[in-house]
Amino acid sequence: MRILVVGSGGREHALVWKLAQAPGVTDVFAAPGNPGMASKATCLPIGVENVVELADFAESMKIDLTVVGPELPLTLGLVDELSRRGLTAFGPNRLAAELEGSKVFSKLFMKKYGIPTPDAEVCQTRGEAERALKSYGLPCVFKADGLAGGKGVVVAQEAEEAERALKLFFEDRVFGSAGDRILVERFISGDEVSFMVLCDGERALPLATAMDYKRIFDGDRGPNTGGMGAHSPSVLLDASTASDVLAFIVQPTLKGMADEGRPFRGVLFVGLILENGLNPYVLEYNVRFGDPETQAVLLRLDGDLLPLLLGSARGRFDEGVQPGWRREATAALVMTAEGYPGPFERGRAISGIEDAEAIKGVFVFHAGTAQGLDGRLVTSGGRVLNVCARARGLSQALATAKEAAGKIHFEGAHFRRDIGKKALDILVERSGSMLR
């Protein structure tokens, strides 16, 4: 079987790593891929936005399954183009991908189908946003309607931050056309968790829970990023609440999308906030594997990923198919370039990955790396590497990941050292003793 993975980040590296292990897989291709994938896949110089060129390659090479990693090619209709040519693709079509492609669409959809989500106003002018802000008060959340690389959300705690947010959206227009409309949303205090399910249009198979950390600095300070780290399990989402999320959020979403003529196949990523630790509200939908949550989750997957993706892509899971999970915990730390999520320099030499991977239970997935002119590995993106670890317990997994990240060096390297602290505190509180 021949597989094409579309994307170039840590999520796609983890997908390539897992799919290459599947029985019967003879060839794996990655477009455009990165140097870390090169040992498992043939990397192709095709950008994720080049829908026709990607489909041409898949057709010419008789690719059996195309797995689409990032959101952009999904919203551009890559799955539609592949399907039109009779090719099998994992991911939602363009209409279904609007759940992520437009936050306005998803908010109105949730309201229509009674899915719990914070109240919000759709605003096209600064005046409308100011009126909504006055109505909700502070703190308040501003969200760009369109795709913004995970950075289109601003949480304003104080008046000065709200003023800066209004300027960013309506004067500086830092999000371009993605900010033509924005949501001004009521702030809900609580813990955020990630809930991912594989969907075949009707059924949903839950993946292991995970928790992502968005802010750039320790203590959840600084601007939002595409994700600075994750761990699995999330710890915060207990079995009862997870069951409620599946019954009262995921299933109504799938039914609503089918009723709208947009049946959903692929990964449905539900970004939740747990008010008072109990009541789940949907902050956002993503229509693809989360990043870096996927890296943590796939390290716990016990068994073959390929049949799950094929069942989803074909619109019917095999009877009795269920993902199995290792009892170990996993952690993923994101190493970023100096200046990220703002402007940053590329081309800084990277060393120490082999030393990190020599540690038991450590896996390093490349995210923003490239091969320099002299053949050395260099930085090429804001999020450079995902340093992951798998161990018997969450505390050990986090400690091992931090030890490994400390062995990797490039000028200006940064990673958060408090990933998982909140989860560990909860475990200690539950047990009444220092669990390790």
Side-chain angles (χ1 to χ4, degrees), residues 3-6 11-12 15 19 58 63-71 73-75 77-80 82-83 87-93 97 196-201 203 205 207 264-269 286-290 294 298 305-317:
I3 295 174
L4 169 63
V5 176
V6 177
R11 163 186 54 211
E12 289 78 33
L15 286 166
L19 289 167
I63 296 296
D64 297 291
L65 176 66
T66 298
V67 179
V68 186
E71 60 273 24
L74 294 170
T75 61
L78 176 56
V79 170
D80 307 69
L82 291 165
S83 298
L87 299 170
T88 304
F90 173 80
N93 64 20
M196 292 189 288
V197 293
L198 295 174
C199 307
D200 66 0
R203 292 178 60 199
L205 302 180
L207 300 181
F264 191 93
R265 298 179 185 177
V267 177
L268 182 65
F269 175 114
N286 292 328
V287 298
R288 35 70 188 183
F289 284 107
T294 297
L298 288 184
L305 176 64
L306 183 57
L308 301 171
L309 302 191
L310 282 171
S312 170
R314 292 168 177 167
R316 183 183 292 252
F317 291 124

Side-chain angles (χ1 to χ4, degrees), residues 424-436:
L424 293 179
D425 289 344
I426 290 171
L427 288 174
V428 169
E429 185 177 340
R430 286 177 185 172
S431 67
S433 63
M434 295 297 289
L435 285 181
R436 288 293 183 266

Side-chain angles (χ1 to χ4, degrees), residues 10 47 80 89 91 100-101 106 110 134 151 165 176 188 210 232-233 345 356 362 415:
D80 307 69
E100 178 171 1
S106 66
M110 285 185 273
K134 185 175 181 180
K151 304 169 196 171
I188 291 182
S232 180
E345 290 189 20
V362 169
F415 66 93

Side-chain angles (χ1 to χ4, degrees), residues 1-341:
M1 177 170 278
R2 291 183 152 192
I3 295 174
L4 169 63
V5 176
V6 177
S8 63
R11 163 186 54 211
E12 289 78 33
H13 188 179
L15 286 166
V16 164
W17 168 80
K18 188 65 177 177
L19 289 167
Q21 302 170 33
V25 170
T26 56
D27 299 285
V28 180
F29 301 90
N34 65 42
M37 301 184 205
S39 65
K40 301 289 185 183
T42 301
C43 295
L44 311 166
I46 307 175
V48 300
E49 72 282 0
N50 296 324
V51 168
V52 173
E53 192 175 352
L54 288 166
D56 285 345
F57 174 83
E59 187 173 33
S60 67
M61 294 297 291
K62 296 181 171 55
I63 296 296
D64 297 291
L65 176 66
T66 298
V67 179
V68 186
E71 60 273 24
L72 179 59
L74 294 170
T75 61
L76 292 176
L78 176 56
V79 170
D80 307 69
E81 181 64 22
L82 291 165
S83 298
R84 186 181 67 79
R85 302 184 189 208
L87 299 170
T88 304
F90 173 80
N93 64 20
R94 184 182 59 80
L95 285 176
E98 199 169 0
L99 267 182
E100 178 171 1
S102 170
K103 284 189 168 56
V104 170
F105 169 81
S106 66
K107 182 66 71 171
L108 297 177
F109 171 86
M110 285 185 273
K111 289 297 185 182
K112 179 178 179 179
Y113 289 97
I115 296 165
T117 186
D119 292 334
E121 295 290 334
V122 180
C123 303
Q124 291 181 281
T125 68
R126 179 177 176 125
E128 290 174 348
E130 287 174 339
R131 287 191 290 274
L133 175 61
K134 185 175 181 180
S135 173
Y136 291 128
L138 292 170
C140 197
V141 185
F142 299 85
K143 295 181 176 181
D145 175 38
L147 299 179
K151 304 169 196 171
V153 177
V154 178
V155 180
Q157 300 282 351
E158 300 175 351
E160 293 80 5
E161 292 174 313
E163 176 60 31
R164 283 197 296 271
L166 290 168
K167 185 175 183 295
L168 282 175
F169 282 104
F170 294 106
E171 295 176 28
D172 300 340
R173 291 192 54 79
V174 296
F175 302 111
S177 61
D180 285 348
R181 297 186 297 178
I182 74 165
L183 289 177
V184 179
E185 187 175 88
R186 179 172 69 89
F187 177 82
I188 291 182
S189 178
D191 295 312
E192 295 186 31
V193 295
S194 306
F195 193 84
M196 292 189 288
V197 293
L198 295 174
C199 307
D200 66 0
E202 295 182 3
R203 292 178 60 199
L205 302 180
L207 300 181
T209 62
M211 185 172 178
D212 178 28
Y213 295 76
K214 290 290 189 187
R215 299 296 185 100
I216 185 69
F217 298 124
D218 286 9
D220 284 329
R221 297 178 297 108
N224 274 338
T225 70
M228 289 300 298
H231 54 75
S232 180
S234 71
V235 175
L236 281 75
L237 198 65
D238 60 28
S240 175
T241 305
S243 179
D244 287 345
V245 171
L246 196 62
F248 301 116
I249 292 175
V250 172
Q251 290 297 343
T253 299
L254 293 183
K255 184 178 185 307
M257 289 295 282
D259 290 346
E260 294 287 320
R262 305 169 185 246
F264 191 93
R265 298 179 185 177
V267 177
L268 182 65
F269 175 114
V270 187
L272 299 167
I273 190 159
L274 303 179
E275 186 180 39
N276 301 319
L278 296 172
N279 305 318
Y281 288 83
V282 180
L283 294 180
E284 65 176 359
Y285 292 113
N286 292 328
V287 298
R288 35 70 188 183
F289 284 107
D291 187 346
E293 295 96 329
T294 297
Q295 292 84 304
V297 168
L298 288 184
L299 285 173
R300 291 188 61 209
L301 180 61
D302 188 11
D304 194 355
L305 176 64
L306 183 57
L308 301 171
L309 302 191
L310 282 171
S312 170
R314 292 168 177 167
R316 183 183 292 252
F317 291 124
D318 291 339
E319 282 299 320
V321 66
Q322 287 285 345
W325 304 103
R326 293 173 176 265
R327 296 182 64 85
E328 294 107 318
T330 55
L333 303 183
V334 176
M335 299 189 72
T336 65
E338 185 177 16
Y340 177 82

